[in-house]
Amino acid sequence: MVTFIARRLVVSVLLLLGAAFIMYQLTALAGDPLEEFYQSRLPNKNQLIAARTEALQLNVPAPLRFFLWLGGAAKCIIPFANQCDLGLTAQGQKVTDLLPQALGSTIQLVTAATVLAIVIGITIGIVSALRQYTTFDFVMTFVSFLLYSLPSFWVGILLKEFVAIRFNDFLGDPQLGPVWIAVISIVVGLIWLGLIGGELRRRVTVFLVSALATAAVLIYFSLTDWFLHPNLGPVLMLILSAGVALVMTALMAGLKNRRAMLTAGIQVVLAMICYFALQPLLNISSIYTILILALVTIAVGLLTGFLVGGPDRGLNMRVGAFTAALSAGLILVDRFMQAWPSYLGESAINGRPIATVGSQTPNLPGDIWIHGVDSFTHLLLPTLTLMLIGFAGYTRFSRAGMLDVLNQDYIRTARAKGMPERVVIVRHAFRNSLIPIATIVASDFGALLGGAIITEQVFAFSGMGALFQRGISLPDPNPVMGYFVVIAVMVIVFNFIADMTYSALDPRVRTRG
Amino acid sequence: MKFRRIGAPIAVAAIAAMAVTGCTTTNETPSTTTGGTITVAEVNEVTSFNPNTPQGNLDMNAKLTGYTRSGFFYLDDKLNIIPDKSFGTVEKTSDDPLTVKYTLAKTATWSDGTPVTADDMMLAWAVQSGFFNDSTTDADGNVTSGTTYFDYAGDTSGLGLADKPVVGDDNTSITLTYSEPYADWQLINPIDAPAHVVADHAGVALKDVMSAMQTMPRGDAAKPAAPNDALKTFADFWNTGFDATSLPTDKTLYLSSAGMVLDSWVPKQSITLVRNPDYKGDLKPKVDKIVVRFIGDAQAQVTALQNGEVDIINPQASADTIKSLEALKNVTTLTGNQFSYDHLDISFNTKVFKDANVRKAFLMTVPRQQILDAIVTPQNPDATLDDSQLFFPGTDAYDAAIKVNGSSAYDKVDIDGAKALLAGATPEVRVLYNTKNPNRVASFQALQASAAKAGFKVIDGGAENWGSLLGSGTYDASIFGWISSGVGVAGVPQIFSTKGGGNYSGYSNAQVDSLAKQLQVTLDKKAQDDIQTQIDTLLWGDGYGVPLFVAPGVMANSNNVTGVVYYPGQAGVGWNYWEWAKK
């Protein structure tokens, strides 16, 4: 094992060096950094050309210049020496100063999108696999291929037009017409029908119930100006957290498990108590308060599971923790919603909340709730863009993986033993189908920091993509190399982790020697 | 046992509860509605508070100083020099030798309360004149001997003609005496960074630097002297000390002497300027705050304007941008020219164009109107042919010049005329252009098709590395662009005189040379225009080439903002920010 790791490390370093060299040469060849001066009528343009030649060391041939760069970059390996020197940009800025800023923007931009794409993609993929060759499956296959093939700048522009500008216009007079209510209700009904499936009678019931419920909610929203003063309120809170408890119990323990039901039920009761009791505290909370509360919530969930669990403590603790975390999340959502009206009233927002550019409203006053809403309104569109495009891949992979596993002998054996379908799917099939997905998730996380060059540009998020793009257009190799180093190291590290995970997960992959 | 089991969690809970209450914040009082904030979208981010170094020489840096630094004058949208008497007065006290006195007004103050003094003007003079430099540099820009003090991105040859300034009026004025007349003297604005800040940060006494400036002789590259330590340290800070990637903790690095002062900077997102409470001058802003958001993509700027996130935009122009802007309600679109133009130049040192008739015939075939209609008209419906090599359309001098400079001969394609001049010859012409620039490609293709009708064989000499091929003699004609500041005459000999650094065409006309030389020492604007018109006429007569079109520019503002005026120069939309108001 040790030799395996050592060999991988050596290969990785050689790979990194080779790739860095090629990258540097390609960047240096990408254009002429002096081009802008050729058109200049300034009397001192020769002086400017000389200054840039010196700043970018253009008099040194690119293959040799690479080693000058490498000399500075090599200092980054010395731990804690803080001597990292990735060079200066053409504007004389340190690349090591720019990288953290760019990384920050990119992480902000892509994290939520990636997580959502993974969760939603895998869920839909698995449901598709379980409902293979049904209408739901076909529709999802169609939708995921459609989204997969959409260019991101176009999705971005469409979202800006419909989700931002039109929605903001709609907020001027938030009344849904009967046509819209009907359309939305029917679509929601169809989605539920597809998700739950079953015989005709069950389908009709599901469709009617969900469509009518949606219509009722939408009418309620329209009548009460809910879009201007959104909130969950105690009734919805109770219904939603009870729903969370049921789903969590059903997925993890099965509805027949009384102890799990009790654990989850206690969480719902606690959540309702907290919903009323914690409001004054939430009003004056800082981000750290929320963090501590989150830890306490999970601890309480675990503790309840531990105390109530009896012989099956581990399972109950999991049910408790998940239910507690999700229902506490609902309280936070409700609190954010309470901040919405005052957010809308801010002069900088002026009643048009959904933003099309940037990551925050400049100089916005207010507490964490206002700023949280502000981040939400800014991240909504780019996150949707990246998610819509990204989730298609996960859907396909998890569907295929799940189908593969469902056809294995041991699944048939498990069913033959008389195991409940829930256990067969969740415990036997789902877990094993995750192994191939883990590969993709690992490599995606590696590529995550590469940023989304086009999405960044469309939404004016100046992250890693912008750093790269600006560097390449001059061309100015130092920022490009800074970008490259981060991405390459991430990809290598995550591939390494993926390899390690396999050998830990699957004895067959383990190498000898 | 039982107690320990339950007791431990209770203790944890109690500690957590204490921690939770300890980590709370008091609510900020909700802000009272501000008197008015205007948000502007700009393409680039700020990289330095000093736009005059080669690395800081970026449009956004210059725009930021436009909001935060007063000067003796500013240029209006018609390129007139408008003096700002509340900052100081400029007075020409003698024509021969040219002597100019700059006197600061009492109201000129930096935002830390320090008055602007002659020390600040001396710093600006030392920078802009390169007076003390005695360095020799090789072709790669490396200094081989001597010292360069200030790395100035501008041209030092103009102010370099002046002797060391005489400080007077209790350290509030300087007087410059030029050794020979300098045509662009009115464009000298001797104010730059606050000298006391540079000295403080460099760790030298301002006194020492000033006395060094008073005692040191003019630098002589032939006899480099040992560098003066105080001045060198001082200059070194000026060279790089104002570069930044985020708001410096030290406020003195971004002092203001104008109506606005920098207040905050969220890297990659925006900067916020607030009203400068210490500003006592005349150009007082009407709004309380100006926010500049960095949005690179033109279409993203348009949608942000539509969505009310920004009030004024300043995107890179394209036909699509204009089209989507014009579809918006409650938005005013401003289009106009930029100070750059595409042009077709003839190479005089090639065989094919030795003959003046061939040159004229070739230029007659250039479909200038067709190129204009295809490239510029969709972006600037008012665009007309650019008929002058020296003046920019929209100025009075341009209107006067095009009537007499002989450009009308080339306004329309004249295939028959070209054929007559060629007398049956079918010359081969290789045309150099930038293959990466779609406008140049389109111009070339239109030219190729049109010239073929008269019998020219136009060979595609397009290249990606066109810039380094300029002046190499490998082509017969070239299509590229000139970018200029739009004011001043220093650029003229640069391009059109025989030994000019930008004369890639091998053009040589003794009359033009002597006129260009004369232009450099002509102080009167009217006389300058006359000389330039003469040069223009000679150029057209010689078949120097033809200007194709002036690059269009676009700005737009939401109708709840007033006072936004299109500006063709690099100061951009913020040139008259003090006139902006919010409805």
Side-chain angles (χ1 to χ4, degrees), chain A residues 349-375:
Chain A
I349 306 302
N350 200 15
R352 299 186 67 86
I354 310 293
T356 62
V357 284
S359 63
Q360 53 172 264
T361 307
N363 315 310
L364 186 72
D367 52 17
I368 54 162
W369 307 107
I370 297 272
H371 283 115
V373 173
D374 191 50
S375 294

Tab-separated table of all heavy atoms in Angstrom, chain A residues 349-375:
chain	number	residue	atom	x	y	z
A	349	ILE	N	-32.631	47.983	-3.213
A	349	ILE	CA	-33.340	46.891	-3.884
A	349	ILE	C	-34.532	47.429	-4.657
A	349	ILE	O	-34.796	47.013	-5.777
A	349	ILE	CB	-33.841	45.857	-2.838
A	349	ILE	CG1	-32.686	45.385	-1.967
A	349	ILE	CG2	-34.536	44.683	-3.507
A	349	ILE	CD1	-31.559	44.768	-2.728
A	350	ASN	N	-35.231	48.371	-4.023
A	350	ASN	CA	-36.319	49.073	-4.695
A	350	ASN	C	-37.372	48.121	-5.246
A	350	ASN	O	-37.862	48.295	-6.356
A	350	ASN	CB	-35.715	49.929	-5.810
A	350	ASN	CG	-36.660	51.028	-6.233
A	350	ASN	OD1	-37.618	51.305	-5.512
A	350	ASN	ND2	-36.420	51.625	-7.383
A	351	GLY	N	-37.689	47.081	-4.476
A	351	GLY	CA	-38.762	46.176	-4.880
A	351	GLY	C	-38.422	45.230	-6.001
A	351	GLY	O	-39.289	44.560	-6.528
A	352	ARG	N	-37.139	45.168	-6.410
A	352	ARG	CA	-36.736	44.234	-7.468
A	352	ARG	C	-35.650	43.312	-6.915
A	352	ARG	O	-34.464	43.544	-7.119
A	352	ARG	CB	-36.218	44.990	-8.687
A	352	ARG	CG	-37.250	45.914	-9.318
A	352	ARG	CD	-36.735	46.525	-10.606
A	352	ARG	NE	-36.577	45.518	-11.641
A	352	ARG	CZ	-37.555	45.136	-12.450
A	352	ARG	NH1	-38.741	45.657	-12.344
A	352	ARG	NH2	-37.338	44.220	-13.370
A	353	PRO	N	-36.086	42.255	-6.218
A	353	PRO	CA	-35.111	41.476	-5.453
A	353	PRO	C	-34.173	40.595	-6.271
A	353	PRO	O	-32.993	40.525	-5.968
A	353	PRO	CB	-35.984	40.616	-4.541
A	353	PRO	CG	-37.278	40.514	-5.246
A	353	PRO	CD	-37.459	41.791	-5.991
A	354	ILE	N	-34.687	39.909	-7.302
A	354	ILE	CA	-33.836	38.926	-7.970
A	354	ILE	C	-32.803	39.642	-8.831
A	354	ILE	O	-33.154	40.416	-9.713
A	354	ILE	CB	-34.658	37.956	-8.838
A	354	ILE	CG1	-35.823	37.364	-8.040
A	354	ILE	CG2	-33.788	36.854	-9.391
A	354	ILE	CD1	-35.427	36.453	-6.923
A	355	ALA	N	-31.525	39.393	-8.549
A	355	ALA	CA	-30.453	40.121	-9.204
A	355	ALA	C	-29.945	39.360	-10.411
A	355	ALA	O	-30.083	38.142	-10.491
A	355	ALA	CB	-29.320	40.349	-8.218
A	356	THR	N	-29.358	40.093	-11.357
A	356	THR	CA	-28.813	39.427	-12.540
A	356	THR	C	-27.295	39.423	-12.574
A	356	THR	O	-26.710	38.708	-13.369
A	356	THR	CB	-29.308	40.114	-13.827
A	356	THR	OG1	-28.838	41.465	-13.814
A	356	THR	CG2	-30.805	40.107	-13.927
A	357	VAL	N	-26.654	40.250	-11.756
A	357	VAL	CA	-25.192	40.272	-11.763
A	357	VAL	C	-24.628	40.333	-10.350
A	357	VAL	O	-25.276	40.817	-9.433
A	357	VAL	CB	-24.624	41.498	-12.525
A	357	VAL	CG1	-24.743	41.325	-14.004
A	357	VAL	CG2	-25.277	42.764	-12.057
A	358	GLY	N	-23.393	39.857	-10.213
A	358	GLY	CA	-22.648	40.034	-8.976
A	358	GLY	C	-23.078	39.097	-7.883
A	358	GLY	O	-23.973	38.265	-8.050
A	359	SER	N	-22.413	39.218	-6.727
A	359	SER	CA	-22.704	38.312	-5.630
A	359	SER	C	-23.335	39.027	-4.461
A	359	SER	O	-23.707	38.401	-3.486
A	359	SER	CB	-21.423	37.615	-5.176
A	359	SER	OG	-20.526	38.567	-4.684
A	360	GLN	N	-23.452	40.343	-4.514
A	360	GLN	CA	-24.102	41.044	-3.407
A	360	GLN	C	-24.481	42.454	-3.832
A	360	GLN	O	-23.920	43.010	-4.764
A	360	GLN	CB	-23.164	41.108	-2.206
A	360	GLN	CG	-21.814	41.698	-2.569
A	360	GLN	CD	-20.965	41.930	-1.351
A	360	GLN	OE1	-20.937	43.021	-0.822
A	360	GLN	NE2	-20.272	40.910	-0.898
A	361	THR	N	-25.467	43.008	-3.115
A	361	THR	CA	-25.822	44.399	-3.342
A	361	THR	C	-24.816	45.259	-2.612
A	361	THR	O	-24.618	45.055	-1.412
A	361	THR	CB	-27.231	44.676	-2.793
A	361	THR	OG1	-28.126	43.718	-3.342
A	361	THR	CG2	-27.689	46.061	-3.151
A	362	PRO	N	-24.174	46.205	-3.290
A	362	PRO	CA	-23.181	47.017	-2.597
A	362	PRO	C	-23.819	47.833	-1.474
A	362	PRO	O	-24.922	48.340	-1.630
A	362	PRO	CB	-22.639	47.941	-3.694
A	362	PRO	CG	-23.052	47.344	-4.978
A	362	PRO	CD	-24.285	46.557	-4.714
A	363	ASN	N	-23.114	47.927	-0.349
A	363	ASN	CA	-23.493	48.784	0.788
A	363	ASN	C	-24.870	48.480	1.355
A	363	ASN	O	-25.551	49.372	1.813
A	363	ASN	CB	-23.474	50.261	0.391
A	363	ASN	CG	-22.250	50.625	-0.393
A	363	ASN	OD1	-21.148	50.302	0.028
A	363	ASN	ND2	-22.427	51.245	-1.537
A	364	LEU	N	-25.303	47.230	1.312
A	364	LEU	CA	-26.613	46.912	1.863
A	364	LEU	C	-26.525	46.876	3.379
A	364	LEU	O	-25.725	46.143	3.939
A	364	LEU	CB	-27.060	45.546	1.339
A	364	LEU	CG	-28.470	45.113	1.700
A	364	LEU	CD1	-29.475	45.939	0.918
A	364	LEU	CD2	-28.654	43.647	1.399
A	365	PRO	N	-27.343	47.691	4.071
A	365	PRO	CA	-27.320	47.599	5.530
A	365	PRO	C	-28.177	46.422	5.990
A	365	PRO	O	-28.899	45.839	5.188
A	365	PRO	CB	-27.936	48.928	5.966
A	365	PRO	CG	-28.854	49.297	4.852
A	365	PRO	CD	-28.301	48.680	3.589
A	366	GLY	N	-28.099	46.061	7.278
A	366	GLY	CA	-29.009	45.041	7.794
A	366	GLY	C	-28.293	43.892	8.466
A	366	GLY	O	-27.065	43.822	8.494
A	367	ASP	N	-29.102	42.972	9.019
A	367	ASP	CA	-28.563	41.858	9.803
A	367	ASP	C	-28.274	40.653	8.911
A	367	ASP	O	-28.371	40.737	7.688
A	367	ASP	CB	-29.550	41.492	10.912
A	367	ASP	CG	-30.942	41.259	10.362
A	367	ASP	OD1	-31.068	41.059	9.140
A	367	ASP	OD2	-31.913	41.292	11.141
A	368	ILE	N	-27.930	39.512	9.549
A	368	ILE	CA	-27.574	38.344	8.733
A	368	ILE	C	-28.750	37.865	7.899
A	368	ILE	O	-28.543	37.259	6.855
A	368	ILE	CB	-27.058	37.169	9.583
A	368	ILE	CG1	-28.056	36.807	10.668
A	368	ILE	CG2	-25.703	37.439	10.155
A	368	ILE	CD1	-27.802	35.416	11.220
A	369	TRP	N	-29.961	38.130	8.357
A	369	TRP	CA	-31.111	37.636	7.585
A	369	TRP	C	-31.231	38.390	6.284
A	369	TRP	O	-31.429	37.804	5.225
A	369	TRP	CB	-32.383	37.744	8.422
A	369	TRP	CG	-32.201	37.082	9.747
A	369	TRP	CD1	-32.067	37.685	10.957
A	369	TRP	CD2	-32.050	35.680	9.980
A	369	TRP	NE1	-31.846	36.758	11.930
A	369	TRP	CE2	-31.836	35.502	11.367
A	369	TRP	CE3	-32.068	34.538	9.176
A	369	TRP	CZ2	-31.656	34.263	11.961
A	369	TRP	CZ3	-31.882	33.302	9.759
A	369	TRP	CH2	-31.685	33.170	11.133
A	370	ILE	N	-31.090	39.717	6.358
A	370	ILE	CA	-31.136	40.533	5.143
A	370	ILE	C	-30.002	40.120	4.201
A	370	ILE	O	-30.199	39.927	3.001
A	370	ILE	CB	-30.992	42.028	5.509
A	370	ILE	CG1	-32.149	42.486	6.383
A	370	ILE	CG2	-30.857	42.870	4.262
A	370	ILE	CD1	-33.346	42.970	5.651
A	371	HIS	N	-28.811	39.972	4.765
A	371	HIS	CA	-27.679	39.612	3.907
A	371	HIS	C	-27.819	38.198	3.353
A	371	HIS	O	-27.395	37.922	2.246
A	371	HIS	CB	-26.361	39.780	4.671
A	371	HIS	CG	-25.946	41.210	4.768
A	371	HIS	ND1	-25.870	41.888	5.957
A	371	HIS	CD2	-25.643	42.112	3.810
A	371	HIS	CE1	-25.521	43.143	5.730
A	371	HIS	NE2	-25.377	43.299	4.432
A	372	GLY	N	-28.428	37.328	4.153
A	372	GLY	CA	-28.683	35.979	3.663
A	372	GLY	C	-29.623	36.002	2.471
A	372	GLY	O	-29.373	35.363	1.452
A	373	VAL	N	-30.679	36.790	2.597
A	373	VAL	CA	-31.625	36.908	1.485
A	373	VAL	C	-30.926	37.517	0.273
A	373	VAL	O	-31.121	37.091	-0.865
A	373	VAL	CB	-32.841	37.771	1.903
A	373	VAL	CG1	-33.727	38.047	0.709
A	373	VAL	CG2	-33.634	37.067	2.984
A	374	ASP	N	-30.047	38.493	0.538
A	374	ASP	CA	-29.329	39.145	-0.547
A	374	ASP	C	-28.447	38.132	-1.294
A	374	ASP	O	-28.412	38.106	-2.524
A	374	ASP	CB	-28.476	40.284	0.017
A	374	ASP	CG	-27.919	41.166	-1.079
A	374	ASP	OD1	-28.709	41.594	-1.932
A	374	ASP	OD2	-26.702	41.398	-1.086
A	375	SER	N	-27.743	37.289	-0.535
A	375	SER	CA	-26.930	36.257	-1.190
A	375	SER	C	-27.818	35.332	-1.998
A	375	SER	O	-27.473	34.944	-3.118
A	375	SER	CB	-26.188	35.413	-0.149
A	375	SER	OG	-25.269	36.196	0.515
